[in-house]
Structure formats: C-alpha cells, structure tokens
Amino acid sequence: MKRIRTGDQYLVKQINKSIVFETIKEKAPISRAQISKETSLNKATVSTMVSELLEDSFIYEIGEGQSSGGRKPILLYFNNHAGYSIGIDLGVNYLLGILTDLKGNIVEEMRVDLLETELSYVTDQLFTVIQTLIDKAPESPYGIIGIGIGVPGLVNQKTIITFAPNLKWKHIDLKEIVGEKFQLPVQIENEANAGALGERVYGSGIGIANQIYVSIGVGIGTGIIINNDLYKGSTGVSGEMGHFTIDMNGKKCSCGNRGCWELYASERALLEAAEQMNLKTDLSFLLNEAKMGNPKVLQLLTTLGENIGYGLINIINTFNPSVIIIGNRISMFQGWMTNPIEHVLKDRLSIYQGQEDQIEIRYSNLNHYSTALGATSFSIAHFFNKKI
Ligand SMILES: [Zn+2]
C-alpha cells in the first residue's frame, strides 16, 4: 500500500476543512450529521473540522434543531460577522466604496465624485473612502480582512494596471500603493470582471455556469464566466468585447481600431447622439424624457438597443452562454432597450430563433453595486483561501 506523506495528509485535511466550511456556508443551518451525509465525510472528520472552524470563529452553533426522537442536533451557522471586507468600484468619474460582511451584505457605503483623473488626486480620494469605511466597521474577530478594487482598465496577471485609457493611466501598481498605506491584502481586478463575479456570486447570475456580463457605462467592458470561473485569457486581459468591430469602415476608436461596438452602444454613444439632436446630454434627463414619452428620446433608445443587440450577436455566436447580464448605468434604460434588442436577435441570430428560452438576456439586479460587490467577493475569497 502506498504510504501517505505528511504533506499530503496536511493537504487532505485542508481540503476536508474547506469542504465542511463550504457546506455550512451554503446550507446553514445544518447539523454535523447532515454535513456528514452531504459530503460523505465520516462523522469523526466532520466533528474535527467543525471544532477547528468554531475555534477560528468562522462558524457558530446554536439552539436545537428538529429531530425525530433522541437527542436534538445542534445547528451550525456561517459567522458572516467574523470580519469585514471593503469593495471599491473605481469609475472614471466616481468612486464607490462599500463595507460588507463576509457574506457580501453591505453594511456601509460611501460615494464621491472624481473631478480629476490624476493618480495622486484619485489615490487621495481612495484613501479617504477606505479610511472612512474602516472607521465605521463594527468590532469583529478578524477586523478588516482586505480590500478589493475594480478598475476601468486592463489588469495583468501581476495585478498591475497596464492601461486605463479613460483615466489615462499606464503601468500603475495600485495594489502596492493601497497595500502599503493600509497594510491590508489588496486585490485588483478589471471592473467588468469584478462585475461579472458580483453578478455570479450575489446577483442575476447566481447558479449560472456560463454567463457573460456586459458592463455598459462610458465604454463597454465584458466579463466572461465559463464553467463557473472567470475566464481571464493568457495574460489576464480578456473581455475587451467593447472593441469588437461592428462597422469595419466606421468611426475611429481610441484603441486604434475602427467601428468598435462601444462607439455605437455605450453611454457615451447615447450622449453623443443626444447632443446631435440638441438634447441635454445628461442620463437622468434622458430617463425622465423617456418616461414622459419624448419621441426623440424614444428613437435614441431604440437605436441604442439595436446597436447593443448587434454586439450581443457576436457574443452569443462566440460563447453560446445561457445568460447575458447587462449591467452598469445603461441598465436604467432597460424598459426601452429590451424590445429592440430582442428584435435584432430574433431577426439576425439563427441560433436564437426558437431558442429564446435558452439564451436569456437579463439585467443586473445589483443596481450600481455589481463591481463593488465583485471586488469585495475577491477579497473575501482571498481571505478564506489563506485562512482555511
Ligand atoms: Zn476600440
């Protein structure tokens, strides 16, 4: 018989502990006996792992559950207040910070407008937001466990922001800057990737293995979830689908290409079209006018919806996802975009015809929190990976 080396035993123990913990997180309240049944781990192993998790303060036990006779089982719960995490959505012209418990429930939030994009200005604002949230965190065994930041730019495997065109940043090590200041673990991720994860873990994409998150703000970013995992590409910068060519002789884009999707289907595209019609270039104004039935605005939104649809055709043909989630600020117009999008897909996408129930277009239900929640979920996952 092959002997198990000590290192392997340690690994097996870590895996078992993690399985027990995940089961409690997902199925709580749950008894030790139920965990054993769910996981096929023997009762002694479950009991040992539960004791360690109790000691770590990651779970707690209370009360007596229902039992068919005999001793009533004690039920275990995930202690989502064992620590708190900070999630930041660093936008081009705003900064949203949230303080969450370990389940992603928002406890505090703070939003500031960014009037400049210069690094030292932005980091000053960032430090203020983070410090304010830290000061507001309730007492807990682990305190602030880390900071996750979603940024509007390319983030490579070494978590360096290689390029953030709208902020005009190149090769910025924000992880180092923030980590140095607060002496906490920091995770940096592209905003659309963070948003995709936010939807996957907490939002419209819970339980969906193959989904694409389309973040439509000033530009368009996309986050790709394949088989439940974020797909990041070989150097970490996948998902630049806003720069799909939808008009090969079209307008010139700052990325160097022509006719990119985001030039026709983003918030910026909507505002430019509004300007050409002599309408006020303001999203809340356009939303109000749409509600009042202003025909010019309704026409703009129909065109926008159709243009979004043309890009979605490329995404669906490439990935065959079961769900596409449209998020970020443009989703405020969902009531006016749904029909034009559907119309384009039905008209032009053969695999969609008769399969409408298999490719679903959804909208973010996290409002404007997708990226911040995704960022906090990176931070929480990193914490548990280290601790368990
Ligand atoms: Zn482009």
Side-chain angles (χ1 to χ4, degrees):
M1 201 177 106
K2 199 180 155 201
R3 279 185 61 208
I4 296 173
R5 285 175 293 125
T6 318
D8 294 337
Q9 282 172 335
Y10 178 75
L11 185 65
V12 167
K13 190 181 154 237
Q14 292 311 104
I15 292 169
N16 288 344
K17 192 172 173 184
S18 163
I19 290 170
V20 170
F21 181 54
E22 289 303 319
T23 308
I24 296 169
K25 255 182 17 179
E26 257 175 53
K27 311 237 157 131
I30 187 168
S31 69
R32 288 167 175 79
Q34 283 170 313
I35 296 172
S36 176
K37 230 184 223 171
E38 289 273 342
T39 61
S40 306
L41 291 170
N42 70 49
K43 282 181 182 170
T45 304
V46 170
S47 181
T48 309
M49 298 307 145
V50 164
S51 301
E52 287 191 15
L53 289 166
L54 281 168
E55 212 162 284
D56 294 340
S57 304
F58 290 144
I59 59 170
Y60 61 94
E61 53 184 0
I62 43 168
E64 284 145 23
Q66 289 177 349
S67 171
S68 48
R71 198 154 63 92
K72 286 181 178 173
I74 291 171
L75 295 175
L76 300 160
Y77 293 78
F78 169 41
N79 181 11
N80 47 311
H81 299 292
Y84 292 85
S85 170
I86 289 174
I88 302 284
D89 173 7
L90 171 56
V92 175
N93 48 14
Y94 67 91
L95 191 57
L96 170 68
I98 56 173
L99 178 76
T100 69
D101 67 17
L102 299 181
K103 238 183 189 171
N105 297 309
I106 298 172
V107 180
E108 294 283 347
E109 66 175 278
M110 184 176 177
R111 195 191 141 100
V112 294
D113 288 330
L114 294 178
L115 307 172
E116 295 169 33
T117 58
E118 208 224 324
L119 181 65
S120 62
Y121 169 82
V122 175
T123 50
D124 275 353
Q125 301 292 318
L126 186 59
F127 291 167
T128 305
V129 168
I130 292 172
Q131 190 58 56
T132 307
L133 294 172
I134 289 175
D135 293 343
K136 287 185 174 177
E139 282 288 312
S140 64
Y142 291 93
I144 301 290
I145 55 97
I147 302 165
I149 307 176
V151 298
L154 305 178
V155 178
N156 72 12
Q157 282 156 322
K158 291 180 179 153
T159 68
I160 306 287
I161 303 169
T162 53
F163 185 39
N166 291 316
L167 291 171
K168 301 179 191 76
W169 289 3
K170 271 185 183 170
H171 293 282
I172 303 292
D173 193 349
L174 194 62
K175 178 176 173 148
E176 169 78 20
I177 295 170
V178 177
E180 173 92 338
K181 169 85 178 169
F182 293 102
Q183 299 297 314
L184 286 168
V186 177
Q187 316 301 319
I188 305 277
E189 190 47 82
N190 163 270
E191 64 91 16
N193 282 348
L197 204 72
E199 294 296 338
R200 162 81 186 81
V201 180
Y202 306 118
S204 297
I206 292 175
I208 310 289
N210 297 300
Q211 55 181 293
I212 310 289
Y213 173 69
V214 182
S215 166
I216 309 185
V218 174
I220 296 181
T222 53
I224 305 159
I225 305 263
I226 296 176
N227 293 333
N228 290 313
D229 272 332
L230 193 58
Y231 174 77
K232 296 175 71 169
S234 62
T235 62
V237 299
S238 69
E240 287 301 307
M241 290 190 271
H243 300 281
F244 265 150
T245 307
I246 63 163
D247 179 357
M248 67 181 186
N249 295 313
K251 292 189 253 185
K252 235 182 158 222
C253 181
S254 61
C255 75
N257 191 10
R258 273 185 184 278
C260 293
W261 184 29
E262 71 172 31
L263 300 177
Y264 305 89
S266 63
E267 182 183 314
R268 188 180 276 161
L270 174 67
L271 294 178
E272 277 172 10
E275 195 173 15
Q276 281 171 11
M277 285 185 157
N278 295 318
L279 292 162
K280 204 166 136 194
T281 54
D282 176 83
L283 290 184
S284 35
F285 166 80
L286 293 175
L287 183 62
N288 271 332
E289 289 298 301
K291 284 178 185 163
M292 314 250 281
N294 179 333
K296 276 185 177 177
V297 174
L298 297 182
Q299 182 52 50
L300 283 181
L301 292 175
T302 300
T303 306
L304 181 79
E306 288 169 353
N307 290 349
I308 290 173
Y310 301 137
L312 296 186
I313 288 174
N314 291 332
I315 294 180
I316 294 169
N317 277 328
T318 308
F319 293 100
N320 181 26
S322 41
V323 169
I324 290 179
I325 300 168
I326 297 176
N328 208 337
R329 283 188 301 266
I330 215 73
S331 51
M332 70 171 83
F333 297 107
Q334 74 174 82
W336 296 274
M337 297 187 316
T338 303
N339 284 341
I341 290 175
E342 282 284 307
H343 177 77
V344 166
L345 296 188
K346 276 189 182 147
D347 198 38
R348 297 197 175 199
L349 187 63
S350 56
I351 58 167
Y352 191 68
Q353 288 152 12
Q355 307 275 319
E356 289 89 342
D357 54 333
Q358 288 180 38
I359 306 164
E360 204 183 321
I361 311 295
R362 296 184 185 172
Y363 293 85
S364 166
N365 62 6
L366 300 174
N367 294 317
H368 52 284
Y369 294 109
S370 320
T371 295
L373 279 170
T376 206
S377 80
F378 273 109
S379 160
I380 294 167
H382 177 265
F383 171 70
F384 284 130
N385 279 342
K386 286 239 147 160
K387 290 282 176 188
I388 288 178

